[in-house]
Amino acid sequence: MNLNEYILGERGLLTLLAMSNVPFDVIDLEEASFDEMLSYDQLWVYSLDFLSREVQDKLVEFVAKGGNLVILPMLPYLDENMKPYSALVEFLGVEVERVNARDNPRLIQFTSVSSEGIDRMLVRNTVREVRGGEPFVFHYGKPVGTFVRRGKGSAIVLGFRLQYYTSHHDLHRKFVDKLLAMQGVERDFEVTDRDMIAIPRGNYLVLLNPRGHRVFGKVRYRDVEIPQLLDGIEMGKRGALFLPFGVKAGDVEVVYSTATLLGRDGDVLHLSNHLSGMSEVALRNVDEVRVISGKIVDESLSDGVLTIVVEHRPGSFELEF
């Protein structure tokens, strides 16, 4: 299996998840405790013909006790010693067609699959029939993806590889959204421009523009939609912003900012926004501020929160209070 092609690389599964605004972690299923596995809303597993007995048994218990599993592009029927073992297949009641994968150059290396609301999503040319459960993905009429409920949890079994294709990614991202919705998984943030990639980290939201073209939109995080005075956050080129939400800087609270908060030095807050010349900052416990290396072009004061729009050169600027 080509790991760079199908999982790790530019067109891999992890890239698709990231570009679909699905923050993820990576765990070792052999080392992870059962409680650690259940702490995730959804567990994605890339499976081939073989998977250790211990991990198969863990996945059975994971689903039975309420976990949501997505597994692709096949189900294991061998253990780590290549001996027959199919506990996961038997528990799910699903069988995946055994077809040899092809990695050889062909004139036409792709085919397509379809689901309700998603027509002809591009996939590589090895597509396996999936029998059992509630089919919801089809390859020219043949079921290649199914949904099953077992115990307190559920599983989605796909008989094909999911990848990220720059020129066809909208259908793939829509399909990822579908898989999340089927298992009741919700993001704890919203973006109006889905090309703005968000990663929540406690009191910070990392906002990325990974592709480089201009993106513009609003975000909602921790029940706060920003910006409120500007029409949106502009990210004019590739880069990242670390946006604070309710971060204390001494006796001052940065309610939110569309610029990265670098820190406080005395009565000066240091911020940076190299992706736009306009930033919006909301502060609590501050009556007025003076901008260094910029100017205020709009402001409001409501419920003890001073919100200002700062016009500045792309880069660092300071607020003195």
Side-chain angles (χ1 to χ4, degrees), residues 217-272:
K218 294 193 173 189
V219 302
R220 177 179 290 275
Y221 183 54
R222 299 173 73 92
D223 296 323
V224 178
E225 183 179 78
I226 70 169
Q228 297 181 6
L229 300 181
L230 288 170
D231 292 334
I233 300 172
E234 179 183 32
M235 305 178 79
K237 59 181 180 180
R238 181 179 288 110
L241 298 170
F242 291 76
L243 308 186
F245 284 78
V247 173
K248 293 291 184 67
D251 57 341
V252 173
E253 179 188 347
V254 182
V255 179
Y256 69 82
S257 170
T258 65
T260 298
L261 175 63
L262 301 178
R264 176 178 176 176
D265 182 13
D267 291 335
V268 177
L269 281 180
H270 298 272
L271 301 109
S272 177

Side-chain angles (χ1 to χ4, degrees), residues 60-79:
V60 167
E61 188 177 5
F62 171 76
V63 174
K65 292 190 174 179
N68 294 312
L69 174 66
V70 179
I71 188 166
L72 70 159
M74 58 190 304
L75 290 175
Y77 53 91
L78 302 170
D79 65 12

Side-chain angles (χ1 to χ4, degrees), residues 102-313:
R102 296 191 296 262
D103 201 26
N104 56 305
R106 303 179 65 202
L107 179 62
I108 301 176
Q109 300 184 24
F110 304 96
T111 184
S112 62
V113 299
S114 299
S115 185
E116 183 178 0
I118 299 171
D119 185 40
R120 301 190 67 182
M121 181 179 72
L122 188 72
V123 297
R124 287 299 293 267
N125 53 25
T126 303
V127 179
R128 301 167 174 84
E129 183 176 1
V130 178
R131 295 180 288 271
E134 304 170 23
F136 71 98
V137 191
F138 300 89
H139 180 248
Y140 298 99
K142 179 175 70 175
V144 294
T146 195
F147 175 78
V148 295
R149 298 186 187 276
R150 291 291 183 271
K152 296 181 180 179
S154 67
I156 292 172
V157 182
L158 304 178
F160 53 91
R161 308 178 184 101
L162 269 182
Q163 294 179 251
Y164 178 76
Y165 296 105
T166 304
S167 57
H168 299 272
H169 65 276
D170 282 336
L171 286 179
H172 295 81
R173 297 197 295 187
K174 188 176 181 180
F175 186 72
V176 170
D177 288 344
K178 185 183 188 74
L179 300 189
L180 268 63
M182 289 176 67
Q183 296 187 318
V185 179
E186 297 181 354
R187 300 173 178 86
D188 54 3
F189 60 87
E190 296 176 22
V191 293
T192 60
D193 183 338
R194 70 175 306 159
D195 284 337
M196 302 172 75
I197 306 305
I199 305 173
R201 287 293 183 268
N203 282 73
Y204 289 87
L205 185 71
V206 185
L207 199 62
L208 301 107
N209 177 1
R211 297 179 65 192
H213 65 282
R214 177 183 180 271
V215 295
F216 184 84
K218 294 193 173 189
V219 302
R220 177 179 290 275
Y221 183 54
R222 299 173 73 92
D223 296 323
V224 178
E225 183 179 78
I226 70 169
Q228 297 181 6
L229 300 181
L230 288 170
D231 292 334
I233 300 172
E234 179 183 32
M235 305 178 79
K237 59 181 180 180
R238 181 179 288 110
L241 298 170
F242 291 76
L243 308 186
F245 284 78
V247 173
K248 293 291 184 67
D251 57 341
V252 173
E253 179 188 347
V254 182
V255 179
Y256 69 82
S257 170
T258 65
T260 298
L261 175 63
L262 301 178
R264 176 178 176 176
D265 182 13
D267 291 335
V268 177
L269 281 180
H270 298 272
L271 301 109
S272 177
N273 184 351
H274 62 293
L275 302 178
S276 172
M278 300 286 282
S279 297
E280 184 173 307
V281 184
L283 304 171
R284 194 185 305 276
N285 300 328
V286 172
D287 295 325
E288 59 181 0
V289 296
R290 184 175 70 90
V291 180
I292 304 171
S293 305
K295 63 179 181 180
I296 297 175
V297 296
D298 196 4
E299 64 180 296
S300 72
L301 180 62
S302 176
D303 297 327
V305 176
L306 175 65
T307 304
I308 60 173
V309 175
V310 180
E311 183 179 348
H312 57 87
R313 291 183 178 179

